[in-house]
C-alpha cells in the first residue's frame, strides 16, 4: 500500500475520539450508533451512512433481507428519500439488482473492507439500471462497505457509506480508515457498546442503577440498603427486578454479565 493510501496519525486520532464518544453512549444502542454514523460521514466525506449488525455469513444472498432490516442510517437529504430507500432496502429482490451489494454479499470472507471499484468495475457500475435509474437519480453514487465477524453478538457488524453523485470515488485510504474504525469497534460490540436486542443500563431508574452499583461493588443486600438508605425489603425487590432485566438468576451471573460487557469497569 502506498503512503497516500495508508491511515494517517490524524485519522487514528479521529477514530479514537469517535470511539470514546460512542463508548460514553454505549448503554443507549440508538444514541451511540447515531454518533457512529455522523462520525463515519465525517471521516469519509460520505453523504449517507448506515451501520448495524448482520446475521452470520452463509455465502448466499438470502442474508440481505435479514441484514438490511437491522441497519440504522443517517444523512438522507430528505425524509421522503429516507423512506423510499428503506422500502427498497427491505425488498431483497431490489437489493440483489444493486451490482455492488450483490457481489459483496456473495464474497465468502467474513471480514472485508472494500470500495465500490474493488467490488465491481466501472463498466459494470456505469451500465447498471439500478445505479442509473435509482442511485444516481436520487443524487447518490459511489459507495464503501466494511464488515467484520463478531462472534460475541452471534453474527457480524457492517459499516456502509455512500457519496453524493458527482463526487470522486472512494480511495483505498478511505477503505483503510473505515476498516481501522471497525477494528476498534469489534472488541466493544455486545460488551460496552450494546445493541438493540441486548438488555442494558438504558431505561433503569436512578435507584435501580444505584443498587446495581452496590452489587457490582460487592455489597450484600443489607449493605446496599444502608448505602442507599432504603429498606432491605425494597432492595431485595430491586435485586429481583435487576435479575429479570438482565436475564440472570444469581449474583454470580450478574457479575459475570458485566465483566463480559464492561471488562474495564
Amino acid at each position: 500500500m502506498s503512503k497516500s493510501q495508508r491511515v494517517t496519525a490524524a485519522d487514528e486520532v479521529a477514530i479514537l475520539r469517535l470511539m470514546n464518544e460512542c463508548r460514553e453512549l454505549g448503554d443507549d444502542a440508538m444514541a451511540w450508533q447515531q454518533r457512529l454514523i455522523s462520525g463515519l460521514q465525517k471521516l469519509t466525506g460520505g453523504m449517507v451512512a448506515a451501520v448495524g449488525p448482520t446475521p452470520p455469513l452463509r455465502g448466499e444472498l438470502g442474508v440481505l433481507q435479514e441484514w438490511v432490516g437491522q441497519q440504522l442510517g443517517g444523512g438522507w437529504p430528505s425524509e421522503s428519500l429516507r423512506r423510499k430507500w428503506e422500502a427498497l432496502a427491505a425488498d431483497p429482490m431490489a437489493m440483489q439488482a444493486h451490482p455492488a451489494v450483490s457481489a459483496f454479499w456473495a464474497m465468502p470472507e467474513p471480514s472485508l473492507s472494500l470500495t465500490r471499484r474493488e467490488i465491481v468495475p466501472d463498466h459494470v457500475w456505469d451500465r447498471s439500471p439500478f445505479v442509473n435509474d435509482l442511485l444516481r437519480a436520487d443524487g447518490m453514487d459511489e459507495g464503501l462497505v466494511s464488515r467484520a465477524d463478531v462472534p460475541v453478538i452471534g453474527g457480524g457488524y457492517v459499516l456502509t457509506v455512500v457519496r453524493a453523485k458527482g463526487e470522486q470515488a472512494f480511495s483505498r485510504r478511505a477503505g483503510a480508515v473505515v476498516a481501522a474504525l471497525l477494528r476498534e469497534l469489534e472488541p466493544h460490540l455486545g460488551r460496552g457498546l450494546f445493541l438493540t436486542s441486548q438488555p442494558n443500563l438504558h431505561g433503569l431508574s436512578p435507584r435501580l442503577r444505584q443498587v446495581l452499583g452496590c452489587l457490582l461493588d460487592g455489597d450484600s443486600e443489607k449493605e446496599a440498603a444502608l448505602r442507599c438508605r432504603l429498606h432491605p425489603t425494597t432492595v431485595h425487590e430491586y435485586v429481583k427486578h435487576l435479575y429479570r432485566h438482565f436475564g440472570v438468576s444469581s449474583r454470580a451471573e450478574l457479575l459475570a454479565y458485566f465483566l463480559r460487557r464492561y471488562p474495564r469497569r
Side-chain angles (χ1 to χ4, degrees), residues 4-5 39-50 100 113-120 122 125 135 140-146 159-179:
S4 63
Q5 296 171 345
L40 182 59
Q41 291 168 300
K42 187 175 181 180
L43 278 171
T44 62
M47 180 177 78
V48 176
S113 186
L114 299 172
T115 65
R116 188 279 301 167
R117 281 182 169 166
E118 292 174 308
I119 303 171
V120 294
D122 287 347
W125 186 254
L135 266 179
M140 296 177 284
D141 201 339
E142 295 291 343
L144 167 63
V145 61
S146 185
L159 307 178
T160 307
V161 61
V162 177
R163 276 186 173 159
K165 179 182 176 182
E167 293 188 1
Q168 289 185 339
F170 285 104
S171 64
R172 288 186 177 179
R173 175 177 163 271
V177 168
V178 175

Side-chain angles (χ1 to χ4, degrees), residues 11-12 24-25 38-39 43 58 82 85 100 104 107 112 115 141 148 158 166 171 206 212 235 239 241 256 265:
D11 293 329
E12 292 175 351
E24 288 179 2
L25 301 168
S38 62
L43 278 171
R58 299 192 298 268
R82 180 189 67 79
W85 278 89
F104 183 79
M107 295 176 179
L112 284 173
T115 65
D141 201 339
V158 179
S171 64
L212 175 61
V235 170
V239 170
H241 181 100
R265 183 180 173 84

